[in-house]
Amino acid sequence: MSREEIIQAKDKSIGHLRSVLGDDAETVISGARYGFISGLLKDTLKKPRIEKATTSDKIDRVLVHRIWGIPIFLGIMYGMFQFVFTLSGPLMGLIDAGFGSLAGIAEGISPDWWSSLLGDGIISGVGSVISFIPPIFLLFIAISVLEDCGYLSRAAFVMDRVMHRIGLHGRSFIPMILGFGCTIPAVMACRTIENRKDRLTTMLVTPFMSCGARLPIFVLLAGVFFPARAGLVVFAMYLIGIGIAIFSAWILRKSLFAGESGHFVMELPPYRLPTFHGAMIHMWERGKHFLKRAGTIIFAAVVAVWLLASLPWGVEYASAGSILGRIGSAVAPVFTPCGFAQWPAAASLVFGFLAKEIVVGSLGAIFAVGEAGLGGALASQLGWTPLVAFSFMVFSLLYVPCVASIATIRSEASAKWAWFAIGYTCAVAWVAATVIYQIGRVVLGG
């Protein structure tokens, strides 16, 4: 039988199933499989006369309800960010005060260049990132609890209907949820998706999910420019990431990866009470990567930022005449429609290609202040408004997560798709930030 004959036979069978049974082939096959399983169980399994609903069944009647499931999912997400933001504030203040004391000690060290490197570069840059350990670790604790109790699988089940509408299924939502922690394991988790088109689509949209490395940017700017609704603004960033990821998946499935989605049967584990020990282990497994990056990549990056902000010798530190200022000034015009065309913002975003934590670290090194004073410096020295800060957060949310995640896409897919991910995420980030800023100007004036 030739290839054309096989395709014709396939189309004929699909049409026959649809005309006879009134449903698509995927649903018919799934129904036949469930029917076989049901028949097999009837022959081999003895059930009590009255089968009692388990505790998991009773909870699922509420959490995975076809109407209330998604609102409950959004409510749990909102509660998670309120938990993180409320508890982390005092702890961040203590850490920042400690680094402020160290910066004061560094001011008395000679020679001046050594004092500047320690105070303006390392302590201000690394300190402004280390201050965000509490919210990042609290976020990882919250995700670990949701995962250990069995709810994350339910979240994928709840989103299964939405994912079907864009040509994917609930299994694709699991790597996207993992992306809340780190994009790299999320991209690697796409290996479990058998269908190649589903796998590539999920892999290319997962970077839009807000990873923990972006949290310092959100917490910093939301706390300064939206103090009364900081938790809600951070929650909005995560919702925007989910929305852009789903919309992008729909576009990719309609264009580059058009075709039928793979089959999927959702497995729901029973609910379990999370243990303190288990939550701590999962938190540490995820959080230690942040500490490792702070001691290696971020440390090296803030030293590089300090050096570029100090060269050529004799120039005013972190001025527009420094090498860093020239780099930022060359890139800044690109961000004019987005509202943040100042060279410090542009330079921090350039270094953010390495890792998102470096965005805050670079700004801390440029303004030579810790986390507590950084937001004020952005408002007073750059003239940022809440609208500009929101636009900057959206761009930081959507453009390339980090070099390591792109390398992972290259390893899991190919160099072509890695370059595509770079171009696509940057384009989406620029368009989204521009639309928000320009519409905001019209609505708010100015």
Side-chain angles (χ1 to χ4, degrees), residues 170-202:
R171 177 169 287 175
S172 295
F173 198 66
I174 295 176
M176 294 166 70
I177 291 179
L178 293 177
F180 286 153
C182 179
T183 305
I184 297 169
V187 170
M188 295 177 70
C190 296
R191 295 174 180 176
T192 60
I193 303 173
E194 293 86 0
N195 184 287
R196 179 179 175 274
K197 292 180 178 178
D198 291 350
R199 184 170 62 252
L200 282 174
T201 302
T202 307

PDB file of all heavy atoms in Angstrom, residues 170-202:
ATOM      1  N   GLY A 170      -3.097  18.381  28.958  1.00  0.00           N
ATOM      2  CA  GLY A 170      -2.683  18.729  30.311  1.00  0.00           C
ATOM      3  C   GLY A 170      -1.248  18.400  30.635  1.00  0.00           C
ATOM      4  O   GLY A 170      -0.632  19.052  31.474  1.00  0.00           O
ATOM      5  N   ARG A 171      -0.681  17.380  29.994  1.00  0.00           N
ATOM      6  CA  ARG A 171       0.713  17.026  30.284  1.00  0.00           C
ATOM      7  C   ARG A 171       1.660  18.186  29.951  1.00  0.00           C
ATOM      8  O   ARG A 171       2.695  18.342  30.581  1.00  0.00           O
ATOM      9  CB  ARG A 171       1.115  15.772  29.503  1.00  0.00           C
ATOM     10  CG  ARG A 171       2.560  15.376  29.693  1.00  0.00           C
ATOM     11  CD  ARG A 171       2.859  14.009  29.142  1.00  0.00           C
ATOM     12  NE  ARG A 171       2.293  12.961  29.986  1.00  0.00           N
ATOM     13  CZ  ARG A 171       2.333  11.672  29.678  1.00  0.00           C
ATOM     14  NH1 ARG A 171       2.896  11.281  28.565  1.00  0.00           N
ATOM     15  NH2 ARG A 171       1.808  10.778  30.481  1.00  0.00           N
ATOM     16  N   SER A 172       1.301  18.993  28.946  1.00  0.00           N
ATOM     17  CA  SER A 172       2.145  20.139  28.595  1.00  0.00           C
ATOM     18  C   SER A 172       2.128  21.198  29.681  1.00  0.00           C
ATOM     19  O   SER A 172       3.036  22.037  29.748  1.00  0.00           O
ATOM     20  CB  SER A 172       1.661  20.751  27.273  1.00  0.00           C
ATOM     21  OG  SER A 172       1.834  19.851  26.210  1.00  0.00           O
ATOM     22  N   PHE A 173       1.084  21.197  30.518  1.00  0.00           N
ATOM     23  CA  PHE A 173       1.015  22.220  31.562  1.00  0.00           C
ATOM     24  C   PHE A 173       1.941  21.885  32.730  1.00  0.00           C
ATOM     25  O   PHE A 173       2.314  22.780  33.486  1.00  0.00           O
ATOM     26  CB  PHE A 173      -0.422  22.359  32.074  1.00  0.00           C
ATOM     27  CG  PHE A 173      -0.684  23.633  32.816  1.00  0.00           C
ATOM     28  CD1 PHE A 173      -0.627  24.861  32.172  1.00  0.00           C
ATOM     29  CD2 PHE A 173      -0.975  23.623  34.166  1.00  0.00           C
ATOM     30  CE1 PHE A 173      -0.854  26.040  32.847  1.00  0.00           C
ATOM     31  CE2 PHE A 173      -1.213  24.802  34.860  1.00  0.00           C
ATOM     32  CZ  PHE A 173      -1.148  26.010  34.198  1.00  0.00           C
ATOM     33  N   ILE A 174       2.316  20.612  32.890  1.00  0.00           N
ATOM     34  CA  ILE A 174       3.198  20.230  34.001  1.00  0.00           C
ATOM     35  C   ILE A 174       4.574  20.871  33.863  1.00  0.00           C
ATOM     36  O   ILE A 174       5.068  21.496  34.818  1.00  0.00           O
ATOM     37  CB  ILE A 174       3.290  18.689  34.092  1.00  0.00           C
ATOM     38  CG1 ILE A 174       1.912  18.120  34.461  1.00  0.00           C
ATOM     39  CG2 ILE A 174       4.331  18.272  35.124  1.00  0.00           C
ATOM     40  CD1 ILE A 174       1.850  16.609  34.486  1.00  0.00           C
ATOM     41  N   PRO A 175       5.269  20.796  32.689  1.00  0.00           N
ATOM     42  CA  PRO A 175       6.538  21.535  32.554  1.00  0.00           C
ATOM     43  C   PRO A 175       6.357  23.041  32.752  1.00  0.00           C
ATOM     44  O   PRO A 175       7.245  23.704  33.299  1.00  0.00           O
ATOM     45  CB  PRO A 175       6.988  21.216  31.121  1.00  0.00           C
ATOM     46  CG  PRO A 175       6.314  19.949  30.778  1.00  0.00           C
ATOM     47  CD  PRO A 175       4.998  19.981  31.492  1.00  0.00           C
ATOM     48  N   MET A 176       5.204  23.572  32.330  1.00  0.00           N
ATOM     49  CA  MET A 176       4.973  25.004  32.499  1.00  0.00           C
ATOM     50  C   MET A 176       4.884  25.363  33.980  1.00  0.00           C
ATOM     51  O   MET A 176       5.381  26.405  34.410  1.00  0.00           O
ATOM     52  CB  MET A 176       3.699  25.410  31.749  1.00  0.00           C
ATOM     53  CG  MET A 176       3.847  25.260  30.231  1.00  0.00           C
ATOM     54  SD  MET A 176       2.285  25.332  29.318  1.00  0.00           S
ATOM     55  CE  MET A 176       1.870  27.045  29.520  1.00  0.00           C
ATOM     56  N   ILE A 177       4.245  24.499  34.789  1.00  0.00           N
ATOM     57  CA  ILE A 177       4.183  24.746  36.232  1.00  0.00           C
ATOM     58  C   ILE A 177       5.577  24.647  36.850  1.00  0.00           C
ATOM     59  O   ILE A 177       5.960  25.456  37.698  1.00  0.00           O
ATOM     60  CB  ILE A 177       3.211  23.760  36.902  1.00  0.00           C
ATOM     61  CG1 ILE A 177       1.770  24.069  36.490  1.00  0.00           C
ATOM     62  CG2 ILE A 177       3.328  23.820  38.420  1.00  0.00           C
ATOM     63  CD1 ILE A 177       0.745  23.128  37.080  1.00  0.00           C
ATOM     64  N   LEU A 178       6.363  23.652  36.388  1.00  0.00           N
ATOM     65  CA  LEU A 178       7.730  23.524  36.892  1.00  0.00           C
ATOM     66  C   LEU A 178       8.553  24.761  36.561  1.00  0.00           C
ATOM     67  O   LEU A 178       9.512  25.086  37.250  1.00  0.00           O
ATOM     68  CB  LEU A 178       8.393  22.276  36.289  1.00  0.00           C
ATOM     69  CG  LEU A 178       7.812  20.926  36.713  1.00  0.00           C
ATOM     70  CD1 LEU A 178       8.519  19.797  35.974  1.00  0.00           C
ATOM     71  CD2 LEU A 178       7.956  20.737  38.219  1.00  0.00           C
ATOM     72  N   GLY A 179       8.160  25.462  35.487  1.00  0.00           N
ATOM     73  CA  GLY A 179       8.860  26.690  35.111  1.00  0.00           C
ATOM     74  C   GLY A 179       8.744  27.782  36.147  1.00  0.00           C
ATOM     75  O   GLY A 179       9.536  28.732  36.140  1.00  0.00           O
ATOM     76  N   PHE A 180       7.776  27.686  37.077  1.00  0.00           N
ATOM     77  CA  PHE A 180       7.699  28.658  38.164  1.00  0.00           C
ATOM     78  C   PHE A 180       8.944  28.595  39.038  1.00  0.00           C
ATOM     79  O   PHE A 180       9.320  29.573  39.670  1.00  0.00           O
ATOM     80  CB  PHE A 180       6.464  28.401  39.029  1.00  0.00           C
ATOM     81  CG  PHE A 180       5.178  28.803  38.373  1.00  0.00           C
ATOM     82  CD1 PHE A 180       3.994  28.191  38.703  1.00  0.00           C
ATOM     83  CD2 PHE A 180       5.147  29.802  37.417  1.00  0.00           C
ATOM     84  CE1 PHE A 180       2.797  28.556  38.107  1.00  0.00           C
ATOM     85  CE2 PHE A 180       3.971  30.175  36.796  1.00  0.00           C
ATOM     86  CZ  PHE A 180       2.790  29.549  37.145  1.00  0.00           C
ATOM     87  N   GLY A 181       9.552  27.394  39.110  1.00  0.00           N
ATOM     88  CA  GLY A 181      10.775  27.251  39.891  1.00  0.00           C
ATOM     89  C   GLY A 181      11.990  27.638  39.065  1.00  0.00           C
ATOM     90  O   GLY A 181      12.694  28.594  39.381  1.00  0.00           O
ATOM     91  N   CYS A 182      12.226  26.888  37.982  1.00  0.00           N
ATOM     92  CA  CYS A 182      13.388  27.147  37.117  1.00  0.00           C
ATOM     93  C   CYS A 182      13.053  26.651  35.718  1.00  0.00           C
ATOM     94  O   CYS A 182      12.466  25.578  35.547  1.00  0.00           O
ATOM     95  CB  CYS A 182      14.629  26.428  37.663  1.00  0.00           C
ATOM     96  SG  CYS A 182      16.111  26.658  36.646  1.00  0.00           S
ATOM     97  N   THR A 183      13.463  27.429  34.708  1.00  0.00           N
ATOM     98  CA  THR A 183      13.141  27.088  33.325  1.00  0.00           C
ATOM     99  C   THR A 183      13.900  25.848  32.854  1.00  0.00           C
ATOM    100  O   THR A 183      13.387  25.076  32.029  1.00  0.00           O
ATOM    101  CB  THR A 183      13.464  28.275  32.405  1.00  0.00           C
ATOM    102  OG1 THR A 183      12.765  29.430  32.884  1.00  0.00           O
ATOM    103  CG2 THR A 183      13.036  28.009  30.983  1.00  0.00           C
ATOM    104  N   ILE A 184      15.101  25.635  33.368  1.00  0.00           N
ATOM    105  CA  ILE A 184      15.943  24.533  32.865  1.00  0.00           C
ATOM    106  C   ILE A 184      15.307  23.160  33.116  1.00  0.00           C
ATOM    107  O   ILE A 184      15.120  22.389  32.168  1.00  0.00           O
ATOM    108  CB  ILE A 184      17.356  24.618  33.484  1.00  0.00           C
ATOM    109  CG1 ILE A 184      18.029  25.925  33.037  1.00  0.00           C
ATOM    110  CG2 ILE A 184      18.203  23.418  33.073  1.00  0.00           C
ATOM    111  CD1 ILE A 184      19.296  26.240  33.767  1.00  0.00           C
ATOM    112  N   PRO A 185      14.955  22.794  34.364  1.00  0.00           N
ATOM    113  CA  PRO A 185      14.284  21.493  34.543  1.00  0.00           C
ATOM    114  C   PRO A 185      12.926  21.437  33.856  1.00  0.00           C
ATOM    115  O   PRO A 185      12.467  20.359  33.470  1.00  0.00           O
ATOM    116  CB  PRO A 185      14.153  21.367  36.068  1.00  0.00           C
ATOM    117  CG  PRO A 185      14.266  22.745  36.590  1.00  0.00           C
ATOM    118  CD  PRO A 185      15.171  23.462  35.651  1.00  0.00           C
ATOM    119  N   ALA A 186      12.273  22.603  33.705  1.00  0.00           N
ATOM    120  CA  ALA A 186      10.981  22.630  33.020  1.00  0.00           C
ATOM    121  C   ALA A 186      11.145  22.234  31.554  1.00  0.00           C
ATOM    122  O   ALA A 186      10.347  21.452  31.015  1.00  0.00           O
ATOM    123  CB  ALA A 186      10.355  24.020  33.137  1.00  0.00           C
ATOM    124  N   VAL A 187      12.185  22.773  30.903  1.00  0.00           N
ATOM    125  CA  VAL A 187      12.449  22.409  29.505  1.00  0.00           C
ATOM    126  C   VAL A 187      12.802  20.925  29.401  1.00  0.00           C
ATOM    127  O   VAL A 187      12.336  20.213  28.504  1.00  0.00           O
ATOM    128  CB  VAL A 187      13.589  23.280  28.932  1.00  0.00           C
ATOM    129  CG1 VAL A 187      14.043  22.756  27.571  1.00  0.00           C
ATOM    130  CG2 VAL A 187      13.130  24.732  28.799  1.00  0.00           C
ATOM    131  N   MET A 188      13.595  20.433  30.360  1.00  0.00           N
ATOM    132  CA  MET A 188      13.985  19.023  30.329  1.00  0.00           C
ATOM    133  C   MET A 188      12.785  18.105  30.586  1.00  0.00           C
ATOM    134  O   MET A 188      12.737  16.971  30.104  1.00  0.00           O
ATOM    135  CB  MET A 188      15.079  18.771  31.368  1.00  0.00           C
ATOM    136  CG  MET A 188      16.374  19.519  31.064  1.00  0.00           C
ATOM    137  SD  MET A 188      17.636  19.295  32.319  1.00  0.00           S
ATOM    138  CE  MET A 188      18.065  17.591  32.057  1.00  0.00           C
ATOM    139  N   ALA A 189      11.794  18.607  31.358  1.00  0.00           N
ATOM    140  CA  ALA A 189      10.605  17.802  31.645  1.00  0.00           C
ATOM    141  C   ALA A 189       9.761  17.566  30.393  1.00  0.00           C
ATOM    142  O   ALA A 189       8.903  16.677  30.384  1.00  0.00           O
ATOM    143  CB  ALA A 189       9.756  18.480  32.720  1.00  0.00           C
ATOM    144  N   CYS A 190      10.012  18.353  29.332  1.00  0.00           N
ATOM    145  CA  CYS A 190       9.259  18.169  28.088  1.00  0.00           C
ATOM    146  C   CYS A 190       9.593  16.838  27.420  1.00  0.00           C
ATOM    147  O   CYS A 190       8.898  16.420  26.494  1.00  0.00           O
ATOM    148  CB  CYS A 190       9.545  19.318  27.110  1.00  0.00           C
ATOM    149  SG  CYS A 190       8.999  20.933  27.700  1.00  0.00           S
ATOM    150  N   ARG A 191      10.653  16.161  27.894  1.00  0.00           N
ATOM    151  CA  ARG A 191      10.998  14.851  27.324  1.00  0.00           C
ATOM    152  C   ARG A 191       9.863  13.850  27.481  1.00  0.00           C
ATOM    153  O   ARG A 191       9.746  12.905  26.699  1.00  0.00           O
ATOM    154  CB  ARG A 191      12.225  14.281  28.044  1.00  0.00           C
ATOM    155  CG  ARG A 191      13.504  15.056  27.857  1.00  0.00           C
ATOM    156  CD  ARG A 191      14.578  14.456  28.737  1.00  0.00           C
ATOM    157  NE  ARG A 191      15.850  15.156  28.620  1.00  0.00           N
ATOM    158  CZ  ARG A 191      16.927  14.845  29.357  1.00  0.00           C
ATOM    159  NH1 ARG A 191      16.843  13.870  30.247  1.00  0.00           N
ATOM    160  NH2 ARG A 191      18.048  15.520  29.202  1.00  0.00           N
ATOM    161  N   THR A 192       9.040  14.036  28.510  1.00  0.00           N
ATOM    162  CA  THR A 192       7.965  13.065  28.785  1.00  0.00           C
ATOM    163  C   THR A 192       6.824  13.176  27.783  1.00  0.00           C
ATOM    164  O   THR A 192       5.917  12.332  27.798  1.00  0.00           O
ATOM    165  CB  THR A 192       7.407  13.277  30.198  1.00  0.00           C
ATOM    166  OG1 THR A 192       6.875  14.610  30.302  1.00  0.00           O
ATOM    167  CG2 THR A 192       8.505  13.104  31.247  1.00  0.00           C
ATOM    168  N   ILE A 193       6.831  14.215  26.943  1.00  0.00           N
ATOM    169  CA  ILE A 193       5.763  14.399  25.952  1.00  0.00           C
ATOM    170  C   ILE A 193       6.156  13.658  24.677  1.00  0.00           C
ATOM    171  O   ILE A 193       7.143  14.005  24.028  1.00  0.00           O
ATOM    172  CB  ILE A 193       5.542  15.901  25.673  1.00  0.00           C
ATOM    173  CG1 ILE A 193       5.211  16.637  26.971  1.00  0.00           C
ATOM    174  CG2 ILE A 193       4.439  16.100  24.649  1.00  0.00           C
ATOM    175  CD1 ILE A 193       5.151  18.125  26.831  1.00  0.00           C
ATOM    176  N   GLU A 194       5.388  12.632  24.319  1.00  0.00           N
ATOM    177  CA  GLU A 194       5.789  11.769  23.214  1.00  0.00           C
ATOM    178  C   GLU A 194       5.695  12.466  21.861  1.00  0.00           C
ATOM    179  O   GLU A 194       6.595  12.367  21.038  1.00  0.00           O
ATOM    180  CB  GLU A 194       4.906  10.501  23.192  1.00  0.00           C
ATOM    181  CG  GLU A 194       5.095   9.573  24.377  1.00  0.00           C
ATOM    182  CD  GLU A 194       4.228   9.985  25.552  1.00  0.00           C
ATOM    183  OE1 GLU A 194       3.501  11.000  25.404  1.00  0.00           O
ATOM    184  OE2 GLU A 194       4.257   9.322  26.599  1.00  0.00           O
ATOM    185  N   ASN A 195       4.592  13.198  21.649  1.00  0.00           N
ATOM    186  CA  ASN A 195       4.362  13.821  20.345  1.00  0.00           C
ATOM    187  C   ASN A 195       5.383  14.949  20.124  1.00  0.00           C
ATOM    188  O   ASN A 195       5.515  15.853  20.938  1.00  0.00           O
ATOM    189  CB  ASN A 195       2.937  14.384  20.291  1.00  0.00           C
ATOM    190  CG  ASN A 195       2.604  14.950  18.923  1.00  0.00           C
ATOM    191  OD1 ASN A 195       3.083  16.005  18.543  1.00  0.00           O
ATOM    192  ND2 ASN A 195       1.780  14.223  18.187  1.00  0.00           N
ATOM    193  N   ARG A 196       6.129  14.890  18.996  1.00  0.00           N
ATOM    194  CA  ARG A 196       7.203  15.859  18.748  1.00  0.00           C
ATOM    195  C   ARG A 196       6.687  17.298  18.666  1.00  0.00           C
ATOM    196  O   ARG A 196       7.294  18.214  19.230  1.00  0.00           O
ATOM    197  CB  ARG A 196       7.936  15.507  17.447  1.00  0.00           C
ATOM    198  CG  ARG A 196       9.052  16.480  17.085  1.00  0.00           C
ATOM    199  CD  ARG A 196       9.758  16.063  15.805  1.00  0.00           C
ATOM    200  NE  ARG A 196      10.747  17.055  15.412  1.00  0.00           N
ATOM    201  CZ  ARG A 196      10.474  18.121  14.680  1.00  0.00           C
ATOM    202  NH1 ARG A 196       9.232  18.300  14.256  1.00  0.00           N
ATOM    203  NH2 ARG A 196      11.424  18.988  14.358  1.00  0.00           N
ATOM    204  N   LYS A 197       5.555  17.493  17.985  1.00  0.00           N
ATOM    205  CA  LYS A 197       5.027  18.855  17.850  1.00  0.00           C
ATOM    206  C   LYS A 197       4.579  19.395  19.198  1.00  0.00           C
ATOM    207  O   LYS A 197       4.795  20.569  19.520  1.00  0.00           O
ATOM    208  CB  LYS A 197       3.876  18.864  16.846  1.00  0.00           C
ATOM    209  CG  LYS A 197       4.323  18.573  15.416  1.00  0.00           C
ATOM    210  CD  LYS A 197       3.146  18.582  14.457  1.00  0.00           C
ATOM    211  CE  LYS A 197       3.613  18.333  13.029  1.00  0.00           C
ATOM    212  NZ  LYS A 197       2.482  18.295  12.074  1.00  0.00           N
ATOM    213  N   ASP A 198       3.934  18.540  20.006  1.00  0.00           N
ATOM    214  CA  ASP A 198       3.543  18.969  21.356  1.00  0.00           C
ATOM    215  C   ASP A 198       4.775  19.314  22.189  1.00  0.00           C
ATOM    216  O   ASP A 198       4.785  20.291  22.938  1.00  0.00           O
ATOM    217  CB  ASP A 198       2.760  17.852  22.057  1.00  0.00           C
ATOM    218  CG  ASP A 198       1.393  17.632  21.433  1.00  0.00           C
ATOM    219  OD1 ASP A 198       0.990  18.455  20.603  1.00  0.00           O
ATOM    220  OD2 ASP A 198       0.751  16.627  21.784  1.00  0.00           O
ATOM    221  N   ARG A 199       5.817  18.453  22.052  1.00  0.00           N
ATOM    222  CA  ARG A 199       7.032  18.650  22.853  1.00  0.00           C
ATOM    223  C   ARG A 199       7.725  19.967  22.490  1.00  0.00           C
ATOM    224  O   ARG A 199       8.111  20.744  23.372  1.00  0.00           O
ATOM    225  CB  ARG A 199       7.979  17.469  22.629  1.00  0.00           C
ATOM    226  CG  ARG A 199       9.231  17.538  23.494  1.00  0.00           C
ATOM    227  CD  ARG A 199      10.002  16.236  23.422  1.00  0.00           C
ATOM    228  NE  ARG A 199      10.487  15.912  22.096  1.00  0.00           N
ATOM    229  CZ  ARG A 199      10.004  14.956  21.317  1.00  0.00           C
ATOM    230  NH1 ARG A 199       9.017  14.212  21.750  1.00  0.00           N
ATOM    231  NH2 ARG A 199      10.494  14.736  20.116  1.00  0.00           N
ATOM    232  N   LEU A 200       7.896  20.236  21.184  1.00  0.00           N
ATOM    233  CA  LEU A 200       8.583  21.467  20.769  1.00  0.00           C
ATOM    234  C   LEU A 200       7.766  22.705  21.142  1.00  0.00           C
ATOM    235  O   LEU A 200       8.314  23.711  21.596  1.00  0.00           O
ATOM    236  CB  LEU A 200       8.832  21.434  19.258  1.00  0.00           C
ATOM    237  CG  LEU A 200      10.007  20.564  18.802  1.00  0.00           C
ATOM    238  CD1 LEU A 200      10.049  20.510  17.281  1.00  0.00           C
ATOM    239  CD2 LEU A 200      11.321  21.125  19.340  1.00  0.00           C
ATOM    240  N   THR A 201       6.453  22.633  20.954  1.00  0.00           N
ATOM    241  CA  THR A 201       5.601  23.768  21.316  1.00  0.00           C
ATOM    242  C   THR A 201       5.724  24.084  22.806  1.00  0.00           C
ATOM    243  O   THR A 201       5.927  25.243  23.206  1.00  0.00           O
ATOM    244  CB  THR A 201       4.130  23.461  20.977  1.00  0.00           C
ATOM    245  OG1 THR A 201       4.017  23.175  19.593  1.00  0.00           O
ATOM    246  CG2 THR A 201       3.247  24.646  21.318  1.00  0.00           C
ATOM    247  N   THR A 202       5.628  23.047  23.642  1.00  0.00           N
ATOM    248  CA  THR A 202       5.726  23.249  25.092  1.00  0.00           C
ATOM    249  C   THR A 202       7.099  23.810  25.469  1.00  0.00           C
ATOM    250  O   THR A 202       7.219  24.707  26.313  1.00  0.00           O
ATOM    251  CB  THR A 202       5.483  21.924  25.825  1.00  0.00           C
ATOM    252  OG1 THR A 202       4.255  21.361  25.383  1.00  0.00           O
ATOM    253  CG2 THR A 202       5.426  22.139  27.320  1.00  0.00           C
TER     254      THR A 202
END
